[in-house]
Amino acid sequence: MGTDSNGWNRARGLAVKALLLIGGALLVKRLRKSTTRWDHARLVAQSLAGEKYSKDQASRDPDNYFNIRMLTCPAAELVDGSKVLYFEQAFWRSPQKPFRQRLLMAKPCPKELKCDVELSTYAIRDMEEYKNFCDRPKDQRPQPEEVIGDIAEHLTTINLKRCPRGKRCLYEGSTPPGGFPNSWNGATYCTSELAIMKNNEIHTWDRGYDEDGNQVWGQKEGPYEFKPAPTSCFNDMLSPLNFPPPPSMERRIEGSFILQE
């Protein structure tokens, strides 16, 4: 009788354990399901963050690409969980003088759209206050509540989708058909494409078009490819790639990056 009851207790214990495991697995599955939209937004924000350079591309094709530093870091979070990032670009030799400054907002796509993450770009009310935001100690930057108050005009939105298995990217997407209004250098609208690669590279392609559909600014050959900063950014400091272009060329390049408000 004692042996039987021990066997029964053991069997009952195993059954309870199995139920707990199954219940736990279902709970995890349910939690994953309910947070997956925000997981995508969080992953995109994490992938964008950091210091990245187009140096390799500039060395392969110096006629069309410059060595540009792209720096992005978390700046605030909205009540609904949307991630706000500060983003700037500068020529490698003058990182303290960014020619493009933006606030980015990553959040899940509205349910009616067939995408995973909505990444929007905004102008900043006082760009001077934000120069080199990511390089500064946290107590010497605008604080999250100030950042939220400094979100100015909405410039573009890119709808990102998770890349299918087998592709080199994690997420990719573009602005909706027709792009967004833009008036720089004779443009009437602009488009943006973005790909977040598995090796932590970011590929961006911004272009402006006139009312006849002719491209008037931006790269014609393909996207800029930004790779994570090497362990030492001071290697090859004397490489010709690291010297800024002449002022007239610099103005032209800046224009192609600045989506005028």
Side-chain angles (χ1 to χ4, degrees), residues 97-157:
K97 293 196 291 185
F99 57 74
R100 192 184 196 188
Q101 295 172 262
R102 295 284 180 263
L103 288 172
L104 308 179
M105 192 186 297
K107 62 181 179 182
C109 276
K111 284 183 178 167
E112 66 273 13
L113 294 180
K114 289 181 178 172
C115 54
D116 294 306
V117 180
E118 187 178 273
L119 184 69
S120 296
T121 308
Y122 294 87
I124 302 171
R125 276 188 216 290
D126 184 356
M127 291 196 292
E128 271 305 307
E129 276 188 40
Y130 284 80
K131 272 188 177 174
N132 309 121
F133 178 96
C134 304
D135 291 320
R136 282 145 56 184
K138 288 193 177 176
D139 61 348
Q140 289 172 31
R141 307 170 173 176
Q143 295 305 295
E145 59 277 12
E146 294 174 72
V147 172
I148 293 165
D150 286 333
I151 297 173
E153 188 191 348
H154 170 246
L155 300 174
T156 60
T157 292

Side-chain angles (χ1 to χ4, degrees), residues 54-243:
S54 58
K55 182 182 174 185
D56 288 359
Q57 194 178 28
S59 60
R60 286 197 318 269
D61 187 359
D63 291 340
N64 293 304
Y65 298 93
F66 291 91
N67 184 6
I68 288 166
R69 178 205 202 207
M70 181 170 102
L71 188 61
T72 313
C73 61
E77 190 170 313
L78 300 190
V79 179
D80 69 356
S82 299
K83 307 286 180 196
V84 179
L85 303 156
Y86 171 75
F87 161 93
E88 71 180 19
Q89 286 179 325
F91 291 108
W92 187 90
R93 293 288 290 183
S94 50
Q96 72 289 354
K97 293 196 291 185
F99 57 74
R100 192 184 196 188
Q101 295 172 262
R102 295 284 180 263
L103 288 172
L104 308 179
M105 192 186 297
K107 62 181 179 182
C109 276
K111 284 183 178 167
E112 66 273 13
L113 294 180
K114 289 181 178 172
C115 54
D116 294 306
V117 180
E118 187 178 273
L119 184 69
S120 296
T121 308
Y122 294 87
I124 302 171
R125 276 188 216 290
D126 184 356
M127 291 196 292
E128 271 305 307
E129 276 188 40
Y130 284 80
K131 272 188 177 174
N132 309 121
F133 178 96
C134 304
D135 291 320
R136 282 145 56 184
K138 288 193 177 176
D139 61 348
Q140 289 172 31
R141 307 170 173 176
Q143 295 305 295
E145 59 277 12
E146 294 174 72
V147 172
I148 293 165
D150 286 333
I151 297 173
E153 188 191 348
H154 170 246
L155 300 174
T156 60
T157 292
I158 294 175
N159 296 328
L160 292 165
K161 264 187 183 175
R162 187 77 202 237
C163 294
R165 277 189 183 179
K167 282 195 87 170
R168 280 181 59 227
C169 57
L170 287 173
Y171 294 90
E172 62 182 350
S174 61
T175 43
F180 286 87
N182 181 276
S183 58
W184 193 81
N185 200 32
T188 55
Y189 69 96
C190 66
T191 63
S192 290
E193 292 177 28
L194 175 70
I196 294 170
M197 313 307 281
K198 286 178 178 167
N199 58 0
N200 228 13
E201 277 182 40
I202 303 290
H203 294 185
T204 66
W205 199 359
D206 298 326
R207 289 170 282 182
Y209 297 89
D210 65 18
E211 56 190 10
D212 298 321
N214 301 309
Q215 188 177 338
V216 291
W217 60 256
Q219 296 308 114
K220 291 195 172 170
E221 296 71 24
Y224 254 90
E225 298 172 5
F226 292 95
K227 295 187 175 181
T231 41
S232 169
C233 298
F234 299 100
N235 295 343
D236 310 322
M237 271 187 82
L238 299 177
S239 159
L241 293 170
N242 296 329
F243 288 94

